[in-house]
């Protein structure tokens, strides 16, 4: 079970969040939690440092696939995560 926290938002941001949550059929707290989780995950992924060899290989493979290196890395990560779920 998760822990509760308290945050302070500007009136404008809270209003936008309320509208967005309503459009998605979610609570404001649920949408806020989802957004924080996504931001943390993206920040963690963006800090991953690749070796020069790995970076060069990724660029080469991405070019062959017609993708950007970031798009290929995301595709490979999702594939690996799905495979991990099947192995359980």
């Amino acid at each position: 079970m998760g822990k509760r926290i308290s945050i302070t938002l500007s009136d404008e941001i809270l209003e936008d969040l309320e509208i967005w949550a309503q459009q998605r059929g979610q609570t404001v707290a649920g949408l806020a939690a989802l957004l924080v989780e996504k931001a943390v995950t993206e920040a963690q992924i963006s800090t991953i440092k690749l070796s020069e060899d790995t970076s060069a290989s990724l660029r080469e493979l991405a070019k062959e696939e017609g993708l950007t290196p970031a798009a290929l890395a995301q595709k490979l990560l999702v594939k690996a995560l799905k495979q991990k779920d099947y192995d359980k």
Side-chain angles (χ1 to χ4, degrees):
M1 174 144 208
K3 293 186 178 183
R4 290 179 177 261
I5 63 166
S6 166
I7 62 171
T8 303
L9 301 173
S10 69
D11 291 339
E12 295 82 16
I13 293 296
L14 180 57
E15 187 177 311
D16 288 344
L17 194 59
E18 288 170 336
I19 292 167
W20 193 4
Q22 185 178 19
Q23 290 172 340
R24 293 175 52 98
Q26 290 183 271
T27 64
V28 172
L31 179 56
L34 177 71
L35 294 172
V36 169
E37 183 178 334
K38 183 175 180 180
V40 168
T41 300
E42 288 178 2
Q44 289 170 332
I45 289 171
S46 71
T47 62
I48 295 172
K49 304 260 190 259
L50 299 176
S51 71
E52 189 59 39
D53 288 343
T54 302
S55 183
S57 295
L58 183 61
R59 284 192 304 273
E60 184 178 317
L61 289 171
K63 187 175 181 181
E64 291 172 10
E65 295 287 324
L67 298 169
T68 64
L72 178 60
Q74 183 178 16
K75 182 178 176 181
L76 293 171
L77 178 60
V78 168
K79 184 177 180 179
L81 290 171
K82 286 180 179 178
Q83 184 62 44
K84 183 178 178 184
D85 287 341
Y86 293 127
D87 290 343
K88 289 183 180 176

